[in-house]
Structure formats: structure tokens, C-alpha cells
Amino acid sequence: MKIDWQRGAMKFRGFAILLLISALALCSTVNADEGMWLLNAPPRAALKDKYGFDVTDAWLQHVQKASVRFNEGGSGSFVSPDGLIITNHHVGADALQKLSDETHNYLRDGFYAKTGADEKKCVDMELNVLMSIEDVTARVNAAIPATATTEEAFAARRKITAEIENESREKTGFRSNVITLYQGAQYHLYRFKRYTDVRLVFAPEQQAAFYGGDPDNFEYPRYDLDICIFRAYENGKLAHPEQYLAWSANGSKDGDLIFVTGHPGRTERLLTIAELEDNRDRRVPKSLQFLKTFEVLLQSYSQRSLENGRRARDDLFGFQNSRKAYDGMLGGLLDPELMGKKRLQEAQLKGYAATHPEYVDTLKAWDDIAAAQKVIAANAMRATLLENYNMRSTLFHIARTLYRQSTEMAKPNGERLPEFRDSSKETLELELFSEEPIYDDYEQLKLTGFLNYIVQELGFNDPVVRTILAGKSPSARAAELVAGTKVKDIAYRKKLSAANAVALETESDPIIAVARSIDKEARAARKLQEEQTEIKEQAQAKIAKVRYALLGASIYPDATFTLRLSYGQIKGYEENGKQVPAFTNMAGLYERSAAQQNHPPFDLPPRWIERKAKLNLSTPFNFVSTADIIGGNSGSPTVNRAGEFVGIIFDENIQSLVLDYAYSDVQARALSVDSRAIIEALRKVYDAKALADELLGAKK
Amino acid sequence: MKIDWQRGAMKFRGFAILLLISALALCSTVNADEGMWLLNAPPRAALKDKYGFDVTDAWLQHVQKASVRFNEGGSGSFVSPDGLIITNHHVGADALQKLSDETHNYLRDGFYAKTGADEKKCVDMELNVLMSIEDVTARVNAAIPATATTEEAFAARRKITAEIENESREKTGFRSNVITLYQGAQYHLYRFKRYTDVRLVFAPEQQAAFYGGDPDNFEYPRYDLDICIFRAYENGKLAHPEQYLAWSANGSKDGDLIFVTGHPGRTERLLTIAELEDNRDRRVPKSLQFLKTFEVLLQSYSQRSLENGRRARDDLFGFQNSRKAYDGMLGGLLDPELMGKKRLQEAQLKGYAATHPEYVDTLKAWDDIAAAQKVIAANAMRATLLENYNMRSTLFHIARTLYRQSTEMAKPNGERLPEFRDSSKETLELELFSEEPIYDDYEQLKLTGFLNYIVQELGFNDPVVRTILAGKSPSARAAELVAGTKVKDIAYRKKLSAANAVALETESDPIIAVARSIDKEARAARKLQEEQTEIKEQAQAKIAKVRYALLGASIYPDATFTLRLSYGQIKGYEENGKQVPAFTNMAGLYERSAAQQNHPPFDLPPRWIERKAKLNLSTPFNFVSTADIIGGNSGSPTVNRAGEFVGIIFDENIQSLVLDYAYSDVQARALSVDSRAIIEALRKVYDAKALADELLGAKK
């Protein structure tokens, strides 16, 4: 349940257009453990009332600065004074994939660095640690003239945001991003410490990390050692983070209060009915259609040889993972009960507005959103295909970035596309000059798949499709582009990155030429979506006031891939009339394998067969809690009242997939790997005693 | 490359709406081995000219009556005087699947009956042998009044067809079907001997039959023992067919002339450009979308347990096989060269018509087809989902058949839907009262998948969708229907089958109720497609005359899943600059496995590892020829000049997938299993000496 994107922040922006103000669901009870809370607005009262827990500022600072964001789409935490960072195997997979080649398959086979010298520096990895939050709402809003048109407001907001970020970056040296919260009701400046010298310390074999494979993904009970351990360095030396989580000596037990700090990517809990219907009728089914098309394409390629399988492994997991998540979301949208509740909630809000003169004008906000959503829906396929997907090709993505960079860098900082702002420079270059291996056959496969898809969706006779294909069939065109481009060469990228716009306008590289030839249309499609989103944000800000007046409850914003605090209880649940206990143990792994005749993907890794007798089979393996999480929370630490590490989030159960739209604690559960299983496995399966000792507090 | 359908003849009719007159492609050379020839109109001159081969009537009768049609979608042949029939493993898979249960997995593990008593009677299997052909064109056309409207012409044609079939069946006792050839230019009455007591004799393990799995499907070189052997019985005794193919003593060699007799399902070689564009823009992409959706659904279900995998195995193969075929077809349609040729051919025909006064009127025919195709396209999704797919549920298919039977049987024979005609009675009942195992969880999976799909395609608020869902979510509705229906019970089916229309109108069974509630709409959608097809047929009959006048060449009709004769040479081809030899041998199997580190799907079956030393590794395994084949030809015998069995068609290479639209002999090749590999494997791998002896001519 890694966050649903393939291309880091750039892709996320594409998907983020529907994020809207979120708040406590109207029908939820006071006692439910709902919420993905801002670290500067934690649910103090709820925690005090239900659990007798006092949230102190020191406790908050501790968990905040021990938490780590993986920019490729996940979470993690510092777990030693010497910079050890733990995350999920499936979050580390991107790094494992990029470190592997034809002869070393670290993603499949695992890795352990016995000494510091053995640790492997990751390719293009960036980690962020949130250092401070500042509310800049007033300054942002003051920069928007009251009489501004939508287009002017959008431009003004972009300009002031760039200005604030740049100022902060120059002053503090931190990566600085203005985050839109409550869909435009608040703007907070987040400052992050960046780590880019990150080295691989330990990964189990994928079959232990992802035991049960796609069939068991989003299921429970589970037996997964879904971990990957890195170490941060600064200036070539061990990093010593300001905060780290001590490893709990005793672990956790049924009923315990636990906390989760991490980076949920996207929720859509307070979409209007018009938006939800568009999700149901278009966005989710269309996303599923694309996901399934690419899943079949990559699955089929992967099976042709072991090396193909290795090349596509991480991408294929991503498609399968998203497909399962979207299937679950669609299930929720087609469930009359969920939609019925949503309709009731909207009717309550509208009813309140209609009967309170000061809010009567707000009724128009729902109509404005519905109208904007219609425009977004009509333009969505074009925007997605021409802009967000980057042709599903690494080469095209690089080519487009190079081409646009020349134009964008010539503009004032405040007028650029956000990914080209000065505040994003380091992150952009890390990706642009990445030494990530690129395989011609695999690029060709994905590009052919994309070209077939765009023909199907926009039509063979669409002018932009004709421009891209240039009179060739999709497969012939993809072959020609991949064979002909020079952007595989990093020196060439650096040369073009330093060149000016005139040079790029005449550059003959075939993929640069494609990026250039569709740029106007792609930018137009993106702009249309962004301006309609601006309209929706203004409307949502009005609705938020009605909601606050009606409910008066404290409110958390929808997820934005920024740090949030969730909490809940370790607690089993009932399914088909049977009680599912909160914990599994190591014995269960062997039982599940036996029940499935050790058939893939339920086969035991050889090392786990050999070491079975050594293991304490009663060691807790995975557990579930009611914490409110979503994709992006993968790798989040599960911590106890004392702020100690007791586990690591790695998945949610199938009943949680509707959490995108509404929280529930009846059956929905967050899944963690137990801290005790990690130590037991490191010691007895992986002979990683030194690492286990360091996690338990021995000094490096 | 089994024919693309899942539900036998009923499904095929759904897909058959686009079948059109076929003829020699205009740009083909005289020497190409093109054509799927009628047995009563063989290419005598071409065979004489190119190969010096005289087609005698005795030779034709011999291969015709030795050929067998598998009604589930494949071909086969008699290969012994005592009723042995050989086909492909993937054609026999349907029978193997239905004979298997939780404890016996014959599809995966294979089967061998050492004695007649061990042979297993297949569930609901029907084989057909073509006994005679009679041209009834004049009688059919005489029954259509010159002044008839489209609707009247369609009804009159249906009536006379039923009359001819019934008359023939009563007179001869044979299954009798009027086949529309040349898209309405000719009607031939085909009489088939039916075999329904068919017993399983031998099948290898699927891993030997389908070595290389989905990745190697439609590829070459190959090493597949894709065979399955049955025996026909009549009145409880061995059947002694009028003709059977003797097993060649020496096999074949590079350059040999070979023949293929089998049942190609569907080609579309002379579609008009308007129809081809509709294929490119709608039919093929939409089919692919559905195929991929169900492939992912079944793959995901299959992986959850071995038993799930067993239940879905044959269906999953079908979806993957069709997906690969359609991907190849789409590749052809998006290839400017292929479409350019097609445009040129149409321009030549139109040019000829325009310059010859007697054909000037024919120019309108292309417009009529384009207009009809537009109507068909607009209605296609509705017709496919409401009528052809039968909700992808065995239970629904049974329920619909029961419901419609009561209404249809009350009508005169000539006015019924064709599947309810007296001439189809035995076939219908074989399927309706089949003891095929039905699994609730699997039915629920497929029905949920279908309901999700229909919501996506027709829209959540479509009245017919609302009727089907009855206020539930797709998964809840599917669960309720599967749990609540009684049609699983064969006694209940027999009771309803004997009941009258009034009883069916009030029957409360929930799936019967669904069939009833959408029947009017489903029939209307079907009728619309059929009437538009009538318009196209009349137009195609006119175009056929122009084509004949221009080309004067002998003509073969597009494939119709009836017996055809193809021919060609055993011949390798060039690919990526390298020569691919015509033959592989058994040593190649072991080399391929080693190169793939014996990783699935390239792992050797244990028996083949054990027996390696015994085998003559130079035994020819598979070979390729230029014979013109397509899906449905699976299991066709490959015979030599003497009419002897030298191999069995089991696949075509990836370059053949465009053969749906145009023949080529540059790279496109038909794949056969060599007769010598079959004997070598039976003797040395499967210890089936008695069977090998019988095939080689020993008397039973």
C-alpha cells in the first residue's frame, strides 16, 4: 500500500487535483480513532478523553523529527543515534531496483552490509525530515487581489508561494514548501532537512518481505517481514539525527494505544456528491482500466525471462498494488450504504446553510464545484495522457524536463511551473541526472503500451496523436524513439540542461522533438485542470465555514503527503462471523505455507526453512490496529505512549480500501510488522547480530 | 490459439456479426499459399500449378470425413479405425477441466487410460464430422420476396433456413445447419454426424503441452506436446469412422507440401475500410479492455490457492490467449502499411465499379455498409453486455436459456431464435443439462466482475443496470444471486425446461428473475445488430460481383467455423536478420529450459527430466509451415500428399496475428507438433506403448 504514484512528486501533483477539505465525518462517533492530524494541531482532547494521554510538545517534537519522508512515495523513521532508518521493503524497493543489475538482484535476494564499508549508496534517493511548520495563510491571501479573476488569482497564488519558499530556503537552507491545507483554507510553510547520501544496510529477500505476494496484499492475517534498513550520511560521515525512536524493550500487546507518524498521500473524505459520482463513473474506472492494461503488459513481459522479471519488478508491484487499491475504492463508491451516508451528510450541510441567512450564499458553492468538476472530467483524459503520465517512459520524462527547463528557467521564479522553482532545484537535478539504469527493451515496451493507449483514448485521428506517431505504428514509433535518443547519456542531459531555449527549440533528438511538439497542448490541458481546481478550492473554503459552524469539531485536512499523526488501538476484528486476532506469530508463517503446499507465492524462502528450528515460533509477527492510515503511510513507525518503536506500518486490510472516502473502525485495520519479529529474524535468520544490537541501543 | 470464445456456438454467433465476404487479397501473388478453401470448391488449379498435386474426389472425401470439429472451439481428426481422435491439449482442456475436481487435476497432471475400461466419458462434449454439403442458395433466395423490407427479409431468411435444416435432419438424422458463405452470396447446407459419447484416452501434463506458457504462446521456436487423445463411441461400443488418417511412417521434411483440414473460426479479410476503422477504433480496443479486465480478475483469484488456480485454469488460458491475439490484430490495424494496402484495394474496386456502367450502382454498397456499421458500433456495447456475454456466468447462461426456451418453443420452428430450432435441440440440451461442476465462489467472482464492468460501460444510472443491481453493490448482488439460485440443480433445470411460459413468468428463482427482467432489452439489442448485418450482407453480395468481375480469381469465403482446406510448405523464415529453421527437436526443449534456469513457465515436467536419457533428442518436435490458418484451426491435422497424418496444428507465430485481416507468407507461419515427437513421447516419457502402437496401425 505504497502511495499510488510512479514518478515521485511530479506525478503526485497530477493526481492531487481532487484533494479537498477534510474533516471528521459527520456520522462518526466521538470515540472512533479517526484522523490524520497535523503535527501542529494534534487531537489533544480526544486522546485525553479516550485514552488519558497527554500530548506534550516535547513528545510531538520527538516523533516529528524522528519521522522521515521517502520522496518516491513512503514513510520511515530514524531508529538509532547513528542514522539508521527503517522503512518497508516495498518502499526501499525503488532503491533496491536501481542498485541491481543483471548479476545482482538485491530486490529479490536481499542484502546485508556487515560493516559500514559494505553499505551501498543509493541512486537519486532523497529523504526529508520535517523541521518546522509556519502558518503563512494571511500572507498568501493578502497577495490575491479581491477583484482577481480565476486566472489572475491562480497566478498570484503561484507567485507568492514561490516567493515565500525561496525566502525560507535562502534563510534556513532547508527545502521549503508551501502546503495547501483544508483545500485552500490554510497555507503552511513546511521546512525539511534533506538527506541525499543514503546507504543501503539491510533488506530481506522479497519473498520474506512480501510473503503471499499480490494475493495476500491488503489481506490479513499476514506474516510479512516488510522492512528495509538504510543509513543516512552527511558530508561523508554518519548522520546523527536530532531525534530517533528508541526500540521498545517489550513491544506491544492487544489493546495498547499506539501512534503512527507518516505521510498519507491522498484522501478524499469530503468530496461533494458531484465529485464522488465523477470518481465512481469516470476517474476510478478509467484509472483501473489503465492500471490493468499495464499490469497485463508488464506481467507478460516479466514472464518471458528472469532478467525481464527483474527489470519490471518494482513497477509491476506498483501497478498491482494500485489496482487492488482502486478496486477497493470502486467497491466503496458502488456501495449504496457508503454513498447514502455521503448524501445525508451533504444534505445536512446544505440544510444548515439554507436555514442560516449568513450561509445561504454558500449553497452556490456546491454548484460551482459540480460545474468545475464537469470541465475537469471532460479534460481529464487529455491532461492525464499528455501531461501526468509522461508517456510512462523514463526517457520521455527526462526529455520533457530538459525541454521545459530551458523555457521555465528564463522566467521569474514566481511564474514558473512549481517543479522548476528555485526551491525545487536540488530535487529536480537529483532526478534529472540520476544514474538509474535504463533498459531499451523495457522503455520500448512501456512506450509502445502508452502509445497504444493514447490512440485508443484520444483516437487515431486526433491531431496530437498523429503528431506523436508521425505516420508510424505505435510499436515502430516506440522502437525508433528509444533507439534514436541520446538522453540516456547523462553528459548529454547536463549539456542540454545548461543550454538555452533557442538551442532546445532546434535540438534534433527524437524524444526531445516529441516533448517539444506536444508541449503547448500538454501545458494547456494542465492549466485548465489547475484553474478549475482553483475554483473548487474557493468554493470548498466557503463550505468549510458551514461545516465548522454546524459541527464545531476539530478538523484535520485531507492527506497531502505531509507528516501526520494518527492513533488507535491494537485490536482484532470480526470477519464472516469469525474473530480475527490482532497478532500473528512466526508459527503461522509455516502453517500458511503448509496449507498452500508451499506453492508460489506462498513458498518459504530457503533461509527460513533452514533456520526454522532456531526460531522462537511464538514471536509476534504482524499485528493490526485502528489507526487511520492510507497509501503513503507505508513504512511509518508504530510508536507507543513513550514514543518508542514497537512496529512498522506496511499495509492495510481489504476493508480499509474505502478509507480513501470514509474512515471506519468496524473492520478496517492498519497492519504493522512487530518490532520483536524484526529482531528475531535479524538475529536468527539473517545472522545480522550487529545490526540487531545497534537497533536495540548498542552504540555504533 | 484456440478460437476466441468461451461459450461455444452461442457466443460465436455474438461475435459473428462482422463476418463478411472474403476472397483472394488483391495484392497477393498467385504463388502465395493463401486460402481457407471450401471442401466442395478446393483450389485445384493452384495446387496443380505450384505443387503438381492433383486433388482427387477420393482424396477430398478421405480428409473431409477424417476431420472432426470440437464444438467448444477447435479441430481434430480420426487417427485409428477404432475411433481414436487427436486434438490439442488446449482444445481438450475444456473436457479435462470438467472431469477434474478438488482431488484430481487432469488438466494440470495429465491422464492415460491403459485399457478401454479406464477411459473417462467426457461431460457435455459434442463432436461433429461433416458428411455432406449441398448448395441451397437458390431455395433460400427464392423464399425472400423482392419487395421485402430489411426486417421482413431477415425473418423470411430465418424461416426458410429453419425449414431446410429441419427437413434435412428428419430425413438423414444428421445435425443439419445452413451456413451463410460469402456473406450471403451463397447458402450451403452442411450435414454433420454427431458424436456425444467421447472418452478421454490420453493427455500429457499441461506443462509439457503448453511448455513456455503465456510468454511463449504465439511464439516460435517451440517445444510443445500440445496433444490430447479421445476415443469416440457409438451405442456404447467403439466407433469405426468412415475415414481416418493413417499415421505417416516417415513424417515430413523441410520443403514438403502439407495440407491442413480444420475449422477456422473467423477472418475479416475483406472488411471495407469503414469496418476496419471501426475494428481499429472500437471493436478491438474494447474487446482488449474486457479481456484484460478479466485476465487480471482471474489471475488474481487463481493465485490465492491451488484449488482456485485449478478452477479458473481453462478460462484464464482463454482470456490470455485472446488477449495476445487481439493485441496482434490491433498491431496490424495500427500499421500504416497494412491499412494502406487495404485502402488501395478498396479504391481499385470502387474505381472499377465507377468506370463500368453495369456496376456504378454498386458504389452505394460501401456507403450502406458504413452507415450500418455506425449503427452497429453505437449499439455494440449494449448488445455485447446484455446478450452475448451472458454475464460471464454459467448460472446466468443456464437461467437465460431456461427462461427463453419456454417462450421460443411455443413459436413455430421457423420463427425461433436459431439456438432453439428443432435442429439444435440435442446440442442445446447437452449444454443445458450438463453436469459440468459449478463453484459458487468462482461464479460469484465472475458475476461481480461482469457487474462492475456493465456499471462502468453502460453507467450507474442506466435503467437496465439499476434493474440488474436491484439497489445492491455489484459484489453484494452477485453473492445474493449465486447463493439464492436453484439452477445449479439439474433436476430443477429439467423441471423448468418442461414448464410453460406462464410458469417461467412467475418463477421466483433470483437468476431466472434477472434473465426475465432484461430479456426484452437484450433481445432488442440483438435484433438491431442482426438486422444491420442483413443490410451489410446484401451490400457485400453486390461488392462480391464487382470483385469477381475485376479479379476473376477463384474465391474462398471468410472463415465460419466450418471445415476448410488450407495448404502450404514446411518452411522457416527470417526474423531480426536471423533465419528461424522450420523444425525444432527434443534437444531444444532441454536447452531452452537451461537457458531460463528452469524457471516457470520454462520448468521441465519431472517426468521429462527423469526420462531425458531414454529419448532420442534429435527427434523433430515442432515445425512451421505457410498454411493459412487462424483461431479454431487448433488441433487440425497436418497431412501429406498421401493424406497421412504428419503433425497437428497447435498455434501460429506472432507475425500471424494479422492474418485475421490479411494473409502473408513472409514471416507468418502455422505451428505443428511433429507426429514423430508424439510417438517418441508416448513410448519413452508416458509408457503408453499400446497407444503408440494403435496410432501406428496396430488393431485395437
Side-chain angles (χ1 to χ4, degrees), chain A residues 214-215 280-281 285 289 292-293 295-296 299-300 303-306 323 330-331 334-336 452 455-457 460-461 471-474 592 596-597 599-602, chain B residues 214-215 280-281 285 289 292-293 295-296 299-300 303-306 323 330-331 334-336 452 455-457 460-461 471-474 592 596-597 599-602:
Chain A
D214 177 62
R280 179 194 69 197
D281 298 336
Q289 185 185 312
K292 288 173 186 176
T293 301
E295 178 175 345
V296 167
Q299 182 86 65
S300 158
Q303 287 197 339
R304 268 178 246 150
S305 74
L306 288 176
R323 176 257 301 161
L330 187 60
L334 292 174
D335 174 7
N452 273 315
V455 170
Q456 174 188 324
E457 291 298 327
F460 186 78
N461 290 316
K472 310 279 192 324
S473 71
R592 179 130 176 87
Q596 292 275 2
Q597 298 175 51
H599 197 79
F602 301 99
Chain B
D214 177 61
R280 180 194 69 195
D281 298 336
Q289 184 185 312
K292 289 173 186 177
T293 301
E295 179 175 345
V296 168
Q299 183 85 64
S300 157
Q303 288 198 338
R304 269 178 246 149
S305 73
L306 289 175
R323 176 256 302 160
L330 187 60
L334 292 174
D335 174 7
N452 273 316
V455 170
Q456 174 189 323
E457 291 298 327
F460 186 79
N461 290 315
K472 309 280 193 324
S473 72
R592 179 130 175 88
Q596 293 275 1
Q597 297 175 49
H599 197 81
F602 302 99

Side-chain angles (χ1 to χ4, degrees), chain B residues 229-248:
Chain B
I229 299 174
F230 297 94
R231 194 189 298 278
Y233 283 74
E234 288 184 286
N235 307 316
K237 292 185 183 145
L238 297 182
H240 301 294
E242 196 179 313
Q243 297 287 339
Y244 72 92
L245 304 177
W247 204 271
S248 160

Side-chain angles (χ1 to χ4, degrees), chain A residues 590 593 598 603-613 615 685:
Chain A
Y590 294 94
S593 164
N598 205 42
D603 50 319
L604 291 168
R607 196 190 285 270
W608 284 75
I609 298 174
E610 282 164 32
R611 305 298 175 93
K612 182 180 176 188
L615 287 168
V685 180

Side-chain angles (χ1 to χ4, degrees), chain B residues 311-325:
Chain B
R311 290 178 185 182
R313 189 70 204 98
D314 189 35
D315 288 344
L316 178 57
F317 165 76
F319 283 111
Q320 291 181 319
N321 189 58
S322 298
R323 176 256 302 160
K324 217 162 175 175

